[in-house]
Amino acid sequence: MAYSSILDWIQFRDMMANPFYPYDTYNLPFDISYKLWEILGGLIAWLVNLIIPGNGLSTWLISDEVSNAFALILFMVVIFLVAFVVTLLSLWMERKVLGRLMDRRGTMIGLKGFLQNVADGLKTFMKENVIPRRVDKMTYMWTVSLVIGTSVLIACMIPLSERWYVVSYGTGLLIIMAIFALAPFFILVSGWAQNNKYSLIGGMRAAELMISYEVPMLIMIATTCLMAGSFSIFDIVNMQGDTVWFFIPQIIGFITFIFCATAEAERVPFDIAEAEAELVEGWQTEYAGMKWGLIMLADYLRGYVSCAMVVIMYLGGWLIPFASDGINGLLPEVVFLTKVWIVFFAMVILRGALARVRTDQIVNIGWKVFMPLSVVNLAVVLLLKFGGVF
């Protein structure tokens, strides 16, 4: 059981402390945040009371209303930190795997190369904030902010289990895909705002690429919701625990969705929007320093979301096949992230094995290959539903 909001958790917190309630009936990140504030707020209150005995501030800091408010703030920080660390680990994995594919060791700076990611991030944040003279400054800043902001939002919206989520929204993957689909418009406008023909070409390429692959993705998301009989992510995952993982009856959709998700995240071989060898850096050409670093972070966050959607829709989410409820409830977040990294590993292999696809080839593949395959996958699921298999 997953509550629809954090406020529900606050109302039923005392009830859920009852040991007879199931293990997954509460919001774990909020619980962690609440306990962190109990420690931190209690320490602050003790220090203030030590300096000014008998003051009202100490009592106010540990009251339920203040504790809930600060716990919500810490909750947002915890959710973002987990998504951020997962992204850093994905970046580290890609560097190491590509190094092995190219017959080299890859970066080795700190913890087998992991700290190189931290060093690169610090380097971009320390660079000068350069803004070209003739850009449309308001559009130039707002569009890239929206690209980064929406990427962070959807990454934080991905539930890691029935107890680790921001809010249990009934529309599930559709709301994630709706926010995911905003990026092409922001990227196109951003390319225009930079007053650079290469950026404009990159923005146009990105828009046509991402729109070409969003339509098949939406059809496959609708197909998965039809098979599960629900739009809810929790229902989709639990349905796979009761029957079979959806990649078995939807093998066509599974393979197609992986390629579409790779293209939607603008990864090789579908990264013609950047195409470093042809367009310098595509629509990102005039973004430097911290802005460029955050765009790269947003790209990897979108890659994480793409892999998470594959896991939720086709690979059973946070459930282990043929395992008991006790085992599945032990560390579901670790199970989910392990599956996500396995899918990301497959994307890295694709990057190392395939050459970049031309713009016309990308559009043709999207509309002439993946679009029909997504419709065929929908027809297969309809036959299974009418046949009473699901």
Side-chain angles (χ1 to χ4, degrees), residues 21 31 49 147 149 164 168 177 205 213 222 229 249 265 285 327 348 361:
Y21 272 74
D31 191 25
N49 191 61
V147 170
W164 188 288
S168 177
M177 190 62 199
R205 284 182 173 183
Y213 286 83
T285 302
I327 295 176
V348 176
Q361 293 174 329

Side-chain angles (χ1 to χ4, degrees), residues 139-273:
T139 310
Y140 171 86
M141 292 302 299
W142 270 106
T143 49
V144 71
S145 300
L146 289 169
V147 170
I148 297 166
T150 53
S151 300
V152 174
L153 176 61
I154 56 177
C156 293
M157 288 173 66
I158 294 290
L160 304 187
S161 69
E162 283 191 312
R163 62 181 183 177
W164 188 288
Y165 59 92
V166 175
V167 60
S168 177
Y169 39 90
T171 49
L173 289 175
L174 291 181
I175 187 65
I176 293 176
M177 190 62 199
I179 300 174
F180 209 81
L182 293 174
F185 304 101
F186 299 146
I187 290 173
L188 177 60
V189 176
S190 176
W192 168 83
Q194 294 172 56
N195 194 28
N196 181 312
K197 59 184 178 182
Y198 300 108
S199 300
L200 179 58
I201 293 172
M204 295 172 67
R205 284 182 173 183
E208 67 175 352
L209 180 156
M210 298 170 82
I211 291 173
S212 298
Y213 286 83
E214 280 170 2
V215 178
M217 286 182 72
L218 280 171
I219 293 176
M220 286 179 283
I221 288 174
T223 302
T224 300
C225 294
L226 173 65
M227 178 170 278
S230 173
F231 291 110
S232 170
I233 292 176
F234 302 117
D235 291 340
I236 292 171
V237 172
N238 290 330
M239 178 71 173
Q240 296 176 74
D242 296 334
T243 55
V244 296
W245 286 2
F246 285 172
F247 87 91
I248 296 175
Q250 294 193 60
I251 186 63
I252 297 174
F254 173 64
I255 297 173
T256 304
F257 193 88
I258 287 179
F259 281 99
C260 289
T262 303
E264 188 69 13
E266 296 184 84
R267 294 184 55 82
V268 177
F270 304 104
D271 72 329
I272 199 66

Side-chain angles (χ1 to χ4, degrees), residues 295-306:
I295 290 172
M296 289 293 102
L297 174 63
D299 284 346
Y300 276 91
L301 285 170
R302 294 171 69 83
Y304 159 65
V305 172
S306 299

